[in-house]
Amino acid sequence: MRQFLLTTEGDRFMRDGKPFRILSGALHYFRVVPEYWEDRLRKFKACGLNTVETYVPWNLHEPKPGVYNFFGMLDIHKFIEIATSLDLDVIVRPGPYICAEWEFGGFPGWLLKDRNLRLRCMDQAYLGHVDRYFERLTQEFVDLQCSRGGRVIAVQVENEYGSYGTDQNYLQWMEDCLRRHGVDVLLFTSDGPQDDMLQGGTLPHLLKTANFGSNATEAFKKLREYQPEGPLMCMEFWVGWFDHWGLKHNRRDATDAAQALDEILSNDASVNVYMMHGGSNFGFCNGANKFETYTPTVSSYDYDAPLDEQGNPTLKFEKFREVFAKHGAEVGPIPERSSGVAFGMAKTLQSAPLLDQLDKISTPVLSGAPLSMEDVDQSFGFILYETQIFGPRPESKIFLQDVRDRAWVYVDGVLLGVVERNEPQVGIPVTISESSAKLQVLVENLGRTNYGPELYDRKGVTHGIRLGLQFLHTWKNYPLPLEDLSAVEWGGATADGTPRLYRAEIEVDAPADCFLRINDGHHGVVWLNGFNLGRYWEIGPQKTLYVPAPLLKPGLNTIEFFETESKAVPSVEFLAEAILG
């Protein structure tokens, strides 16, 4: 069996005894429906790329401890096989932490149930979980390594660790863990081109790569201070950026990005275009940033990439193709753009008030104080807290201590107020004139922090609920991951400002790509034929959700959506083009 091992010799990569330059692009298989993997990868080759790079999301592959999923959109083995069939090499970045603007940086939420566990260091409980997961994960790709006749040429140790910690023993353990579970190809680390990151994020004997979006000459100069000999590579060449709810849509000029790419290649360096094709944060999988304020990421991961969210080549694609060709890459014809189809309006047929459906779609967990999502073994979605307030009480205020991330407060079914994580907690006024009243607090996980010092981002109300200075006790905690709505009892399509589930239908003759918009909706989540497309929010910038054709079916299609507070019956519209802001 012929082996195409990737090695280093002096300042070059070597393949099959010959100098080799990695021209790679990032595509995350878990952000793209599998029916489109081959199409996207063929477009990589047309742009001149010879490699595809992917992260691996632990939270989706091990949704519960010891329970694994490597099927459908998570079939990494099949993804690598498709790349191999197209004569593309593969770089795997397995984490366990991946950042990637992904929920909790790829960590599974259940890690946070153990309040003594410490992430990304020599904590034995944490390492035990990582070791078990890597033992199973590596089974999906070790037989596809170039050392065994496959096309996986390199694997990353951890991810941008220098921007988080300094535990060299942990990095050594991570390297040993990969080797122990059969990874025998080239290992590398990647970090920003800064002293602190390059000091804390790697090991002396590992290949070091850098992540940046411009000023390649200066970045490589800094990398050379820590790696005097070895091939230069930008492991993440940031060609665009991601969007946050309530902020502007990010764009980067195509000419500027192409000039930055040319500077990388003119330094005789290798590159991984991040992102070459971003895809979508389907479901509840978007991450968030938390520095001065908490800013959740939108559902689109278009990233202003050379291939847009629908997989169409952009002006940036064309300019990158010219740069790659200039530096000797073999390019193909520019792929034709595919058009979306405007299927029009779907008829909103039914609705159901969430507060009336709790016992049909959830089983409450009883507790003295409110529990976090992690305490009730929930990773995504919403959670509702319910208790009785005994009266009479003169006007007082309800306080939610450390709400993560957005909460709606109801007394006897009446909305009293919305509490935002970023806003000062001034309390919600309430008067209890009767002997008792039902207090319900609905909380949404808008995405766990994926980068920075606030990774320990438990969701729900994490430090209690008070009436004045008095903590309230004896709670029902309703987990609402909203994974199964089959038990919902539907009624007429109405709206009253309280959270409601809606159901709509549309007939489609021939499925095609399109973009879904909720009209007259404020904020919520959409499912198409049971598949969670992601969130919508009137604050933007994103106004549509991408619908790949394989999610539709000929004939009748069902749309279900959860609207948190609209006072008008929302409608569903299928458009031909995206509106990202």
Side-chain angles (χ1 to χ4, degrees):
M1 181 181 294
R2 190 177 183 186
Q3 296 181 341
F4 291 93
L5 285 172
L6 178 73
T7 60
T8 64
E9 183 178 303
D11 292 339
R12 293 185 176 275
F13 288 113
M14 303 292 289
R15 288 291 302 277
D16 198 27
K18 300 176 182 178
F20 181 73
R21 169 142 59 178
I22 299 172
L23 301 177
S24 177
L27 185 159
H28 302 153
Y29 57 94
F30 49 94
R31 279 176 158 136
V32 180
V33 293
E35 293 88 345
Y36 284 169
W37 288 345
E38 182 173 341
D39 170 79
R40 304 319 192 236
L41 292 175
R42 286 189 180 278
K43 290 170 179 173
F44 275 40
K45 289 182 65 70
C47 197
L49 302 181
N50 57 29
T51 304
V52 58
E53 173 270 314
T54 186
Y55 275 131
V56 181
W58 183 3
N59 56 0
L60 295 190
H61 285 303
E62 192 180 6
K64 296 185 182 299
V67 177
Y68 300 100
N69 184 358
F70 291 95
F71 302 101
M73 286 182 69
L74 299 178
D75 192 344
I76 183 176
H77 191 277
K78 180 179 179 180
F79 176 76
I80 295 173
E81 286 186 325
I82 291 174
T84 299
S85 72
L86 298 175
D87 198 30
L88 285 168
D89 292 328
V90 180
I91 296 172
V92 177
R93 302 170 76 187
Y97 164 81
I98 63 172
C99 185
E101 291 71 61
W102 194 250
E103 223 268 354
F104 200 10
F107 283 135
W110 49 258
L111 284 174
L112 295 177
K113 186 172 184 177
D114 180 356
R115 281 171 165 71
N116 294 317
L117 182 141
R118 293 296 176 263
L119 302 167
R120 306 181 77 184
C121 67
M122 289 298 289
D123 177 274
Q124 293 305 310
Y126 166 70
L127 297 179
H129 291 304
V130 174
D131 191 55
R132 181 190 65 242
Y133 165 59
F134 269 36
E135 180 180 16
R136 176 62 185 86
L137 167 63
T138 52
Q139 296 174 27
E140 297 297 316
F141 67 84
V142 290
D143 62 323
L144 300 175
Q145 295 176 102
C146 61
S147 56
R148 309 184 191 188
R151 297 301 290 269
V152 175
I153 59 172
V155 174
Q156 182 174 273
V157 177
E158 241 278 355
N159 180 55
E160 294 183 318
Y161 185 68
S163 64
Y164 179 82
T166 61
D167 193 338
Q168 299 291 288
N169 291 328
Y170 167 60
L171 286 180
Q172 185 61 65
W173 186 93
M174 285 300 315
E175 178 188 3
D176 295 342
C177 180
L178 288 166
R179 295 301 192 201
R180 185 167 63 250
H181 294 308
V183 176
D184 55 11
V185 294
L186 180 70
L187 297 181
F188 67 93
T189 59
S190 64
D191 283 281
Q194 298 175 204
D195 289 304
D196 57 338
M197 296 181 181
L198 290 168
Q199 290 165 9
T202 189
L203 296 171
H205 58 282
L206 291 178
L207 176 69
K208 300 158 187 59
T209 64
N211 300 340
F212 54 84
S214 58
N215 299 317
T217 302
E218 288 300 310
F220 287 139
K221 181 180 178 181
K222 176 57 67 175
L223 183 60
R224 274 284 176 244
E225 294 179 19
Y226 293 87
Q227 184 167 262
E229 182 179 271
L232 294 173
M233 182 165 185
C234 177
M235 185 52 65
E236 289 188 13
F237 168 46
W238 304 319
V239 300
W241 208 243
F242 51 94
D243 290 344
H244 289 128
W245 288 115
L247 302 178
K248 290 183 178 180
H249 176 50
N250 284 293
R251 299 295 298 271
R252 182 177 183 182
D253 178 75
T255 299
D256 173 70
Q259 290 172 346
L261 174 62
D262 184 65
E263 183 180 355
I264 292 172
L265 300 181
S266 296
N267 274 275
D268 198 26
S270 292
V271 68
N272 177 51
V273 176
Y274 191 99
M275 297 291 301
M276 186 65 189
H277 173 53
S280 306
N281 295 318
F282 292 121
F284 295 117
C285 286
N286 64 277
N289 287 127
K290 173 62 171 67
F291 295 100
E292 289 80 12
T293 60
Y294 169 81
T295 50
T297 305
V298 303
S299 293
S300 171
Y301 201 62
D302 177 87
Y303 208 87
D304 194 31
L307 293 172
D308 67 18
E309 188 173 12
Q310 193 183 354
N312 280 322
T314 64
L315 177 61
K316 196 172 289 181
F317 180 98
E318 297 178 22
K319 290 189 174 294
F320 279 23
R321 177 177 168 275
E322 293 172 1
V323 173
F324 284 128
K326 169 186 170 181
H327 288 271
E330 182 179 345
V331 302
I334 296 175
E336 293 185 7
R337 290 183 60 86
S338 59
S339 300
V341 173
F343 292 111
M345 301 296 295
K347 186 176 178 60
T348 303
L349 300 172
Q350 296 171 304
S351 73
L354 178 79
L355 301 182
D356 292 348
Q357 305 294 316
L358 294 175
D359 290 317
K360 300 177 181 65
I361 62 176
S362 181
T363 300
V365 178
L366 305 181
S367 65
L371 301 175
S372 72
M373 283 189 176
E374 296 76 16
D375 291 331
V376 297
D377 300 315
Q378 179 185 355
S379 291
F380 308 116
F382 298 74
I383 187 169
L384 186 136
Y385 304 102
E386 180 178 303
T387 192
Q388 292 294 123
I389 302 176
F390 295 99
R393 296 282 188 98
E395 182 174 307
S396 187
K397 289 186 176 181
I398 299 170
F399 292 91
L400 313 182
Q401 294 206 179
D402 202 14
V403 62
R404 311 260 181 114
D405 300 300
R406 196 164 192 256
W408 295 260
V409 179
Y410 304 89
V411 171
D412 288 337
V414 177
L415 177 65
L416 297 189
V418 179
V419 179
E420 306 274 0
R421 176 172 177 170
N422 287 330
E423 294 178 354
Q425 301 305 305
V426 296
I428 297 176
V430 62
T431 299
I432 309 298
S433 57
E434 304 296 329
S435 59
S436 69
K438 181 189 292 184
L439 171 64
Q440 294 173 304
V441 179
L442 176 67
V443 182
E444 180 180 12
N445 167 7
L446 282 168
R448 289 184 182 84
T449 303
N450 61 263
Y451 181 81
E454 300 286 341
L455 276 182
Y456 296 84
D457 193 7
R458 295 178 180 86
K459 295 303 185 181
V461 177
T462 60
H463 287 82
I465 298 175
R466 293 183 284 117
L467 186 60
L469 294 176
Q470 186 181 62
F471 280 97
L472 298 174
H473 293 97
T474 312
W475 290 90
K476 290 182 180 179
N477 305 265
Y478 286 91
L480 295 169
L482 302 181
E483 296 169 338
D484 182 4
L485 301 179
S486 60
V488 171
E489 293 185 358
W490 298 99
T494 60
D496 57 9
T498 62
R500 298 184 78 92
L501 295 157
Y502 288 90
R503 185 175 178 274
E505 293 179 346
I506 192 169
E507 290 272 356
V508 170
D509 292 331
D513 282 2
C514 54
F515 297 86
L516 183 151
R517 179 171 66 187
I518 300 293
N519 297 318
D520 297 319
H522 175 71
H523 174 64
V525 186
V526 184
W527 295 263
L528 174 64
N529 296 323
F531 183 92
N532 191 333
L533 294 175
R535 294 179 171 91
Y536 63 92
W537 202 344
E538 67 176 4
I539 63 174
Q542 180 179 356
K543 297 294 185 181
T544 57
L545 291 166
Y546 174 48
V547 179
L551 298 182
L552 290 163
K553 55 187 179 183
L556 190 65
N557 293 264
T558 301
I559 307 101
E560 294 164 319
F561 58 101
F562 175 45
E563 164 58 46
T564 56
E565 56 192 275
S566 178
K567 294 183 179 180
V569 175
S571 60
V572 181
E573 185 177 8
F574 289 87
L575 307 176
E577 296 183 351
I579 304 174
L580 297 180

